Amino acid sequence: MSKRTLVSLGVAATTAMLAALPAQAQFADGGVKIGVLTDMSGPYSGMGGPGSVVAAQMAIDDCLAAECKGMKIELIQADHQNKADIGAATARQWLEQDKVDAMVDLTNSSVSLAVQKLIKEKGGIAMYSGPATTRLTNDDCAANGFHWMFDTYSQAAVGAAALTKLGLKNWYFITVDYAFGHSLEKDAGDQVTANGGTVLGAVRHPLNNSDFSSFLLQAQGSKAQVIGLANGGQDTVNAIKQAKEFGIGGKDQKLAALLVFLSDVHALGLPTAQGLSYADGFYWDADDDTRALATRFEAKVKGAKPTMVQAGVYSSTLHYLRSVAASGTDDWQKVSATMRKLPIKDAVMKNASIRPDGRVIHDMYVYEVKAPQESKYPWDYLKKVGTVPAAEAFQPLAKSTCPLVKG
């Protein structure tokens, strides 16, 4: 196992403050320990990574000032390097040796599926705001696993369905070759065919790919009306930049990025990204609450606003801690049950609730990237063009293959 540095960001309560906790509070190790398992330096580090650690600490600070006053809370972090074996080994050590109660972020679908399997065996709680695979709330669902922000269905339902309904019927996919990409391609393809379109084919590329020329030329040669990018993070940024160089994305062949983050728009710049439409669960400039949260975040992560992954880390960490406080224990079974009952109320989520399959449903939004002349201040990148209600944004519960639903 590769050596990992676990950075403690814990906040210990004083003896006097402990009196504020409920008399019946029971913590196995005297407090609560949360682990941020993320991509710290790879292709997904901009949407998660160090920013997710900051977001989790912000949630801890907020809960300590309110419901969690007097509680001892410790935060640690690790880099899974986008490798399922490293992610699983880290999670196993956290659960068996380090007494971690809950894990957040878990960006990368392969890592999240490995961790989901582990928590079903070992216990603990996992809250996924970074991965996209719908397997987490279908066949691989768990009573102690919660999929927080988005998934491949929510992205496909908004993006692929909308474009197909506009008459762009023929699609070709450029897909990252692992669980996330396969799931996004399938869900988007299903939306295309359900709305009368046709999938002409697909080509797959490795994760963290730098040269998309051969993949783009193959997609261009398909003569499809839409080239769908079933990837994320730096892969999406690289593909969009190189597509522009090849002249792809004009009137004859549209480029559709199915999973885009605010950090990607920032990396692309408005001249390149302008006009791009995509689905997102959080935008920092949506209202006074999101702006206040983003201002605090940027003070700690200089020159950055939170992505929906980092916002999801904040929301999930805060809801978990509130549920611990309400339960009076860190017992994962009792806390999981409380999480499902307690309302989700924070600056991130709107109309949110947790379904039996572990899917957190909430409103999703369709945004369009502004032209450079439309942007009035730093990070003023998006304009909202639509809202998809929580009940419509995610896979219908009736179609879930989760045993918790059928049972």
Side-chain angles (χ1 to χ4, degrees), residues 28-95:
D29 303 290
V32 177
K33 185 181 285 189
I34 300 171
V36 181
L37 187 54
T38 186
D39 174 5
M40 292 298 291
S41 58
Y44 300 146
S45 58
M47 66 188 195
S52 286
V53 180
V54 167
Q57 186 63 53
M58 287 172 58
I60 291 172
D61 294 342
D62 287 351
C63 202
L64 283 171
E67 299 94 335
C68 299
K69 186 173 292 183
M71 193 183 296
K72 177 185 176 183
I73 306 171
E74 184 179 358
L75 183 68
I76 62 175
Q77 70 181 55
D79 185 352
H80 57 52
Q81 302 175 45
N82 289 298
K83 297 178 180 178
D85 57 343
I86 292 177
T90 302
R92 182 177 293 275
Q93 176 180 316
W94 281 0
L95 293 172

Side-chain angles (χ1 to χ4, degrees), residues 302-319:
K302 302 299 182 183
K305 299 293 187 182
T307 66
M308 69 169 161
V309 172
Q310 294 154 350
V313 170
Y314 172 85
S315 176
S316 59
T317 303
L318 184 60
H319 187 70

Side-chain angles (χ1 to χ4, degrees), residues 212-234:
F212 281 86
S213 57
S214 63
F215 306 115
L216 287 165
L217 289 172
Q218 189 168 332
Q220 188 179 41
S222 72
K223 305 299 182 182
Q225 292 172 287
V226 182
I227 297 175
L229 299 179
N231 50 22
Q234 191 60 45

Side-chain angles (χ1 to χ4, degrees), residues 7-355:
V7 181
S8 173
L9 299 171
V11 181
T14 63
T15 303
M17 289 173 67
L18 288 171
L21 286 172
Q24 72 274 22
Q26 297 178 352
F27 301 102
D29 303 290
V32 177
K33 185 181 285 189
I34 300 171
V36 181
L37 187 54
T38 186
D39 174 5
M40 292 298 291
S41 58
Y44 300 146
S45 58
M47 66 188 195
S52 286
V53 180
V54 167
Q57 186 63 53
M58 287 172 58
I60 291 172
D61 294 342
D62 287 351
C63 202
L64 283 171
E67 299 94 335
C68 299
K69 186 173 292 183
M71 193 183 296
K72 177 185 176 183
I73 306 171
E74 184 179 358
L75 183 68
I76 62 175
Q77 70 181 55
D79 185 352
H80 57 52
Q81 302 175 45
N82 289 298
K83 297 178 180 178
D85 57 343
I86 292 177
T90 302
R92 182 177 293 275
Q93 176 180 316
W94 281 0
L95 293 172
E96 293 181 347
Q97 300 177 31
D98 299 332
K99 308 304 180 185
V100 168
D101 297 290
M103 291 173 276
V104 296
D105 188 325
L106 296 144
T107 298
N108 185 292
S109 290
S110 295
V111 170
S112 68
L113 290 169
V115 170
Q116 185 89 317
K117 181 178 179 181
L118 187 64
I119 64 169
K120 286 195 279 190
E121 173 192 348
K122 298 291 183 179
I125 290 174
M127 294 166 285
Y128 308 99
S129 64
T133 177
T134 54
R135 285 174 55 185
L136 290 167
T137 51
N138 281 296
D139 292 353
D140 294 295
C141 69
N144 48 340
F146 303 91
H147 203 168
W148 214 263
M149 181 52 80
F150 68 99
D151 58 30
T152 55
Y153 185 96
S154 69
Q155 303 311 115
V158 175
L163 288 175
T164 308
K165 289 175 182 177
L166 289 174
L168 299 172
K169 300 290 188 180
N170 297 324
W171 284 64
Y172 190 96
F173 291 100
I174 297 177
T175 303
V176 62
D177 193 12
Y178 80 104
F180 152 60
H182 302 167
S183 183
L184 184 54
E185 178 191 314
K186 180 185 181 303
D187 285 341
D190 288 347
Q191 290 292 330
V192 169
T193 55
N195 286 283
T198 302
V199 176
L200 300 181
V203 61
R204 292 178 174 175
H205 68 82
L207 177 65
N208 204 15
N209 188 58
S210 59
D211 185 2
F212 281 86
S213 57
S214 63
F215 306 115
L216 287 165
L217 289 172
Q218 189 168 332
Q220 188 179 41
S222 72
K223 305 299 182 182
Q225 292 172 287
V226 182
I227 297 175
L229 299 179
N231 50 22
Q234 191 60 45
D235 285 332
T236 298
V237 172
N238 289 340
I240 293 174
K241 285 182 176 179
Q242 292 170 39
K244 189 175 182 65
E245 294 171 5
F246 282 104
I248 298 173
K251 62 179 181 178
D252 296 326
Q253 197 169 48
K254 186 174 181 62
L255 190 70
L258 297 171
L259 183 58
V260 178
F261 297 92
L262 187 67
S263 52
D264 302 331
V265 176
H266 183 71
L268 287 165
L270 293 184
T272 299
Q274 62 179 311
L276 185 67
S277 295
Y278 68 95
D280 207 317
F282 173 87
Y283 180 46
W284 75 271
D285 205 13
D287 56 41
D288 289 343
D289 290 337
T290 59
R291 283 187 283 272
L293 186 71
T295 297
R296 291 174 54 202
F297 181 90
E298 190 173 16
K300 299 175 183 296
V301 184
K302 302 299 182 183
K305 299 293 187 182
T307 66
M308 69 169 161
V309 172
Q310 294 154 350
V313 170
Y314 172 85
S315 176
S316 59
T317 303
L318 184 60
H319 187 70
Y320 166 75
L321 288 172
R322 286 171 169 171
S323 299
V324 170
S327 303
T329 179
D330 61 351
D331 179 271
W332 67 267
Q333 292 176 309
K334 293 179 181 178
V335 175
S336 293
T338 302
M339 288 178 67
R340 294 173 181 274
K341 297 175 183 176
L342 206 64
I344 301 174
K345 293 183 178 180
D346 54 51
V348 176
M349 292 293 191
K350 307 298 180 186
N351 301 318
S353 61
I354 301 176
R355 299 191 318 195

